[in-house]
């Protein structure tokens, strides 16, 4: 969704905290212990949530041969997957999971994708549908940068599972074991990196440590999100975001709960924003008018973490040379489990 700054400024005045202050006071959300690429959120208690358990029927498959041959002599090592017989068959190359597949192993894969920040509307239900295929394709786009045998098929084959085994966090943790981009762009520190092709947004603290990873939706082919270095120009709270939606689209919920208006780093208007959405089922896809959509929970976290003037790097892939070398990985740390937020039905 595009929205020029001049039109935003005509909608509502800035709140007192919407101006860049001389002293940065991180919000309570950033009061977290961070080790490497895995984060523990101290002040935020998890919300209990129960997900339906699928029947323990036989595994359904779409093929008996993997589409991307990979080493099958290496056993799975991530505790999320090691006890799942369904995934043992996938890892050995005997089974490929696709649309219609069901099982606890698939549920474990879905949970791992969610913990890594990939969009999966509806949560981990153990059923392979279009949302699972999209999440896998976005993961495969990311993983193929490190594992060339992984292809963006949207199926769970041997190569994809071994890549997920290597990259996914252990049970009880969020984040990613490898492949987190550093918080710099052309040598300048950034607070956010938006990776368009894998549809994820990385939030960093002021020291360059990853705080969280959120799914996003970006521009279509005809209205693409433009890569480059941008800055937060204006921060709009919910009332102003609703007013903007009502005025521009006759829909108070179209921008979700918050808007972060962006300009290019050199001061030019970009006509792009980070904002929420009233269609969470479309996260993970190219569907916007150029803006970067997030769940309402995610955009609130981004809004609360960022200040006017903070830099946002938008790249196609996390291996963009302007991001420099990948961030170092240190020992994994346990994190509090985080419940998936309830979401309204998508519009349209």
């Amino acid at each position: 969704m595009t929205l020029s700054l001049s039109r935003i400024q005509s909608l509502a005045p800035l709140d007192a905290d919407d101006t860049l202050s001389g002293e940065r006071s991180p919000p309570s959300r950033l009061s977290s212990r961070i080790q490497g690429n895995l984060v523990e959120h101290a002040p935020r208690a998890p919300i209990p949530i129960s997900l339906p358990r699928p029947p323990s029927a036989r595994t359904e498959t779409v093929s008996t041969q993997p589409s991307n041959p990979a080493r099958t002599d290496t056993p799975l090592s991530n505790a999320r997957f090691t006890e799942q017989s369904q995934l043992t068959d996938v890892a050995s190359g005997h089974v490929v999971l696709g649309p219609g597949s069901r099982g606890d192993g698939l549920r474990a894969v879905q949970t791992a994708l969610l913990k890594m920040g990939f969009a999966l509307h509806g949560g981990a239900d153990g059923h392979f549908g279009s949302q699972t295929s999209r999440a896998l394709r976005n993961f495969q786009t990311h993983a193929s940068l490190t594992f060339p045998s992984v292809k963006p098929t949207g199926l769970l084959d041997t190569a994809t599972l071994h890549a997920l085994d290597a990259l996914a966090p252990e049970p009880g943790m969020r984040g990613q074991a490898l492949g987190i981009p550093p918080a710099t762009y052309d040598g300048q520190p950034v607070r956010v990196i938006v990776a368009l092709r894998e549809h994820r947004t990385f939030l960093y603290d002021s020291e360059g440590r990853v705080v969280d990873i959120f799914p996003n939706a970006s521009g279509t082919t005809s209205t693409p999100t433009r890569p480059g270095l941008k800055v937060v120009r204006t921060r709009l709270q919910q009332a102003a975001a609703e007013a903007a939606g009502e005025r521009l689209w006759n829909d108070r919920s179209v921008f979700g709960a918050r808007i972060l208006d962006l300009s290019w780093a050199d001061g030019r208007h970009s006509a792009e924003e980070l904002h929420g959405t009233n269609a969470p089922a479309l996260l993970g896809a190219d569907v916007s008018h150029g803006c970067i959509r997030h769940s309402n929970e995610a955009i609130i976290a981004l809004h609360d973490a960022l200040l006017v003037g903070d830099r946002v790097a938008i790249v196609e892939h996390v291996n963009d040379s302007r991001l420099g070398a990948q961030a170092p990985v240190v020992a994994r740390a346990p994190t509090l489990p985080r419940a998936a937020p309830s979401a309204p039905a998508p519009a349209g």
Side-chain angles (χ1 to χ4, degrees):
M1 200 70 67
T2 58
L3 183 64
S4 68
L5 177 65
S6 60
R7 300 182 81 177
I8 285 180
Q9 289 176 326
S10 67
L11 295 173
L14 300 182
D15 293 336
D17 66 345
D18 287 345
T19 58
L20 182 61
S21 63
E23 179 180 354
R24 180 185 297 271
S25 300
S28 59
R29 177 180 175 81
L30 301 185
S31 301
S32 58
R33 289 194 295 114
I34 306 175
Q35 297 186 26
N37 301 320
L38 303 164
V39 300
E40 176 177 0
H41 299 286
R44 191 173 186 178
I47 303 172
I49 183 169
S50 61
L51 297 172
R53 186 178 182 84
S56 56
R58 68 179 181 83
T59 302
E60 300 176 41
T61 65
V62 296
S63 171
T64 57
Q65 296 295 327
S67 59
N68 300 305
R71 288 186 59 185
T72 59
D73 58 340
T74 304
L76 299 175
S77 60
N78 193 306
R80 290 184 182 276
F81 311 130
T82 53
E83 302 300 320
Q84 300 292 340
S85 60
Q86 184 183 38
L87 298 183
T88 300
D89 292 337
V90 176
S92 65
H94 294 118
V95 164
V96 171
L97 300 185
S101 298
R102 295 176 180 269
D104 286 343
L106 179 57
R107 183 198 294 272
V109 167
Q110 292 172 324
T111 300
L113 291 169
L114 286 167
K115 297 298 183 183
M116 295 177 73
F118 291 98
L120 188 56
H121 185 67
D125 59 3
H127 175 263
F128 200 120
S130 60
Q131 292 284 334
T132 299
S133 181
R134 178 189 294 168
L136 276 171
R137 190 175 294 108
N138 286 330
F139 168 75
Q140 289 164 333
T141 297
H142 170 78
S144 64
L145 303 175
T146 307
F147 301 89
S149 61
V150 175
K151 307 300 179 185
T153 62
L155 305 175
L156 183 65
D157 56 17
T158 300
T160 300
L161 180 57
H162 279 285
L164 189 61
D165 184 62
L167 295 175
E170 296 288 342
M173 296 186 288
R174 289 180 58 83
Q176 188 167 317
L178 299 166
I180 295 289
T184 59
Y185 184 96
D186 284 342
Q188 299 185 64
V190 299
R191 293 295 309 280
V192 169
I193 293 176
V194 175
L196 297 174
R197 294 307 102 216
E198 63 191 62
H199 294 101
R200 288 196 296 172
T201 296
F202 298 81
L203 172 65
Y204 301 83
D205 68 8
S206 58
E207 301 300 319
R209 298 170 295 190
V210 65
V211 173
D212 214 336
I213 311 172
F214 307 109
N216 67 46
S218 55
T220 65
T221 302
S222 59
T223 57
T225 304
R226 293 168 294 177
L229 183 62
K230 304 180 184 183
V231 298
V232 176
R233 185 178 177 89
T234 308
R235 302 166 65 249
L236 298 182
Q237 299 274 3
Q238 183 162 354
E242 291 177 349
E246 177 70 24
R247 178 174 177 177
L248 298 176
W249 298 94
N250 197 31
D251 184 348
R252 294 183 64 82
S253 65
V254 69
F255 289 118
R258 301 286 190 276
I259 296 175
L260 291 166
D261 185 51
L262 303 177
S263 68
W264 292 98
D266 62 9
R268 292 174 295 133
H269 293 175
S270 72
E272 293 172 346
E273 297 85 39
L274 307 178
H275 64 73
T277 184
N278 62 356
L282 297 181
L283 293 174
D286 298 328
V287 295
S288 80
H289 292 81
C291 293
I292 302 101
R293 302 180 187 177
H294 299 83
S295 70
N296 286 330
E297 181 192 43
I299 196 60
I300 289 173
L302 289 164
H303 178 277
D304 291 350
L306 301 178
L307 297 175
V308 169
D310 281 337
R311 298 181 185 90
V312 175
I314 300 179
V315 296
E316 295 288 344
H317 298 281
V318 294
N319 66 347
D320 190 302
S321 61
R322 290 164 293 186
L323 296 177
Q326 289 188 348
V329 178
V330 297
R332 296 182 176 190
T335 66
L336 296 175
R338 183 172 170 185
S342 58

